[in-house]
Amino acid sequence: MMHGKFHFDRQTIIRTLFLIVVDLLVIELSSFMALFIRFDFTMNPEMIRYLAIYRHHQILVMAITIIIFAFCHMYFSMWTYASIREMINILVASLLYMLVVTTVYTFLEPENHGMPRSFYLLSGAFLFAMTFFVRFIYRALREIKGKINPLVEPKRIMIIGAGSAGAGLIREIKANPSLRKKIVDLVDDDPKKQGMRMSGVEVTGTTKDIPELVKRHGINQILLALPSASGEERKRILDICKTTGCEMLSVPGIYQIVRGDVSISQLKKVDVNDLLGRDPIQVDIDSIMGYVKDKVILVTGAGGSIGSELCRQIASHGAKQLIMLDIYENTTYEVQNELRHEFPNLNLVVLIGSVRNTKRIDHIFETYRPDIVYHAAAHKHVPLMEESPNEAVKNNVLGTWKMVKACDKWKTSKFVLISTDKAVNPTNIMGASKRVCEMIIQTYDKRSETEFVAVRFGNVLGSHGSVIPLFEKQIAEGGPVTVTHPDITRFFMTIPEAVSLVLQAGAFAKGGEIFVLDMGEPVKIDDLARNLILLHGLKPDVDIPIKYIGLRPGEKLYEEILMDEEGLQDTSNKLIHIGHPIKMDEELFLQQLQDLSDYVQSEPDDIKRYMKNIVPTYSPKGLQ
């Protein structure tokens, strides 16, 4: 029954030795009381004779009993959180004790016919009762102390979800008064659970009753215990909760529930991801990552949000060698340290260099001969690129072109480009540059042995430059929260979703595809800001003002995921689609690409006009 690793610090050793001493006294007292009761509470000669027989084998019995207690986790349980499992352990230990004493005295004292038969039963019963008392008295004293000496007013808690996750939270909160939490309401939408009790807490209503219950009972914290709820269901409930002004916390996902990891320490703040109103993309990474096993993988932009997550996933799936390439050393160094710590056997190469440097790229390919390339390196910040459009072209277009030509030259198997929904009918130079990148990979796919594909993203929550960290910072500073326009909308996805899509694209790739994620409905940035303020228990325009500052250079009110002529083709993942390639004059395009490469080096003032000749759907503001 003993398993796992235990950390024996000084305090643990002292506590264990103390419990062993107490248990030795309990064993002694249990045996004495069993004989004392058997002989009618008198110390007559017969009792004294049996007491002498007992003491003759006392050390053996005590030693075996302590071993039994250790075997039954009696010294490796957190008795502050003791529950029915610990009581069962005590019962099992007591039954084993009875078996031991019966065996010892029957076989070692045959001439005396062992001890009185009642001795075995009574000593076992006393052992169970006194051990139970010793182990649970600490928990009882802690609870009494918490009620008699309250340091602060406990938070009044509502738990949403009368399932296994909710039960786990109730047990831990009740077992640990130091948390200073009082469970007032338990809410569940199952009609059969209404009025029922879970660990003494009554189900007082359904989710539609939340605002009334919060007001009536003075709730100031809501715990969402619905790990398996759909994205749509979570959004519906959170839309109700966010109007209450309560602090909101959520248990982890269903995977952690299955592993039994539900506890107060696992609670996390409800974040804006929960308000997107859709389930996260589910990709069975393990089943599709066979194509990276024993391969040399190169990730450009490896220090960025997407690039670093790609490196983590690839590192965990048996790549022969992982090459990280980035121009920015600080974040790359951090990711390098993380990967070396988490995957000590990984063959990791970390290189600093620019995708714009032809000789550097060629040397890397000649030296390492990568089988698969994930190209995440790019300038992505729209307003900054509007101010420095030539840099967007040099880095995004020419950098991608040089990587593509290197893959073709050195016979790389796959090349996956990280693209963006801003490439569709672009209004900014960043989007236009990414559209040219897509045209490059579709052109070269027809002329090369390498499979070239692109993956088109929406906005990535939590990435560098994402709007969410900006809003969080502004809320922490007391506002205002700045929104460019009350009607602006964007598609959103999380970093894990984006990376899972990239990895699946590599598995699906046959060459020339532009993979597109079904990201659900677009989200209004104004709603995003207001929801985030509400999730902090604050009121928009009251506690935190919202200020509209106007569209930034190159921004448009909404983004698209497809051009009209592209259409969609399904894949085996219903949330991942393929945009049909757009017909174009490839020879003309390659000539335009060469001319662009020459022209941009002269730092022209009209590069946006030049790009419009290559990307007819590009509509920069102020350019006819």
Side-chain angles (χ1 to χ4, degrees), residues 215-467:
K215 186 176 181 180
R216 187 196 310 164
H217 296 149
I219 303 298
N220 45 33
Q221 189 179 68
I222 297 175
L223 308 184
L224 188 63
L226 297 170
S228 60
S230 67
E232 184 179 354
E233 179 68 5
R234 289 176 70 87
K235 181 179 184 301
R236 181 188 70 80
I237 295 172
L238 291 174
D239 282 342
I240 296 172
C241 293
K242 71 187 183 185
T243 64
T244 64
C246 293
E247 178 187 8
M248 285 181 278
L249 298 175
S250 176
V251 299
I254 189 65
Y255 176 64
Q256 286 84 359
I257 300 297
V258 171
R259 294 191 313 178
D261 288 349
V262 180
S263 71
I264 292 296
S265 63
Q266 293 286 327
L267 287 170
K268 65 181 180 70
K269 282 193 173 182
V270 173
D271 58 42
V272 76
N273 297 2
D274 295 310
L275 294 169
L276 293 183
R278 62 173 174 81
D279 293 328
I281 291 292
Q282 299 295 331
V283 175
D284 185 359
I285 296 296
D286 292 334
S287 69
I288 64 173
M289 288 297 282
Y291 73 95
V292 307
K293 187 173 177 59
D294 299 326
K295 297 290 196 308
V296 178
I297 313 295
L298 169 62
V299 178
T300 71
S305 305
I306 297 297
S308 61
E309 183 63 23
L310 279 168
C311 290
R312 293 182 190 98
Q313 291 289 343
I314 292 165
S316 66
H317 284 87
K320 178 181 179 181
Q321 186 177 55
L322 174 60
I323 305 164
M324 295 174 57
L325 176 64
D326 205 300
I327 191 64
Y328 184 56
E329 70 271 26
N330 290 357
T331 54
T332 307
Y333 175 68
E334 292 173 3
V335 178
Q336 175 191 32
N337 287 340
E338 177 190 340
L339 293 180
R340 284 182 172 168
H341 178 265
E342 295 294 328
F343 307 99
N345 297 323
L346 174 66
N347 184 351
L348 179 65
V349 177
V350 181
L351 303 173
I352 299 299
S354 171
V355 294
R356 293 156 59 166
N357 187 332
T358 304
K359 290 185 178 180
R360 175 67 166 151
I361 294 301
D362 200 54
H363 177 71
I364 291 171
F365 273 76
E366 182 180 15
T367 303
Y368 297 102
R369 305 293 177 92
D371 299 298
I372 303 172
V373 173
Y374 293 98
H375 184 49
H379 286 325
K380 305 179 183 73
H381 198 280
V382 169
L384 289 181
M385 291 305 98
E386 289 300 294
E387 295 298 321
S388 304
N390 291 324
E391 293 305 301
V393 172
K394 290 175 191 175
N395 199 65
N396 296 359
V397 176
L398 302 187
T400 298
W401 192 21
K402 290 176 181 182
M403 289 295 299
V404 164
K405 288 193 288 187
C407 287
D408 178 46
K409 176 181 177 179
W410 297 100
K411 310 301 182 187
T412 297
S413 175
K414 294 178 188 287
F415 177 93
V416 182
L417 167 72
I418 308 301
S419 190
T420 171
D421 57 1
K422 293 175 176 61
V424 181
N425 300 323
T427 59
N428 53 69
I429 191 69
M430 195 282 281
S433 69
K434 282 295 194 176
R435 178 55 195 153
V436 175
C437 294
E438 292 180 352
M439 295 164 72
I440 290 171
I441 67 111
Q442 289 190 321
T443 298
Y444 269 80
D445 183 70
K446 299 175 183 177
R447 300 162 179 260
S448 173
E449 296 178 19
T450 303
E451 296 173 350
F452 292 101
V453 299
V455 184
R456 197 177 281 167
F457 294 159
N459 294 271
V460 180
L461 289 170
S463 65
H464 300 308
S466 167
V467 69

Side-chain angles (χ1 to χ4, degrees), residues 473-488:
K473 183 174 183 292
Q474 291 174 336
I475 292 170
E477 293 173 349
V481 170
T482 56
V483 178
T484 55
H485 192 284
D487 296 323
I488 191 170

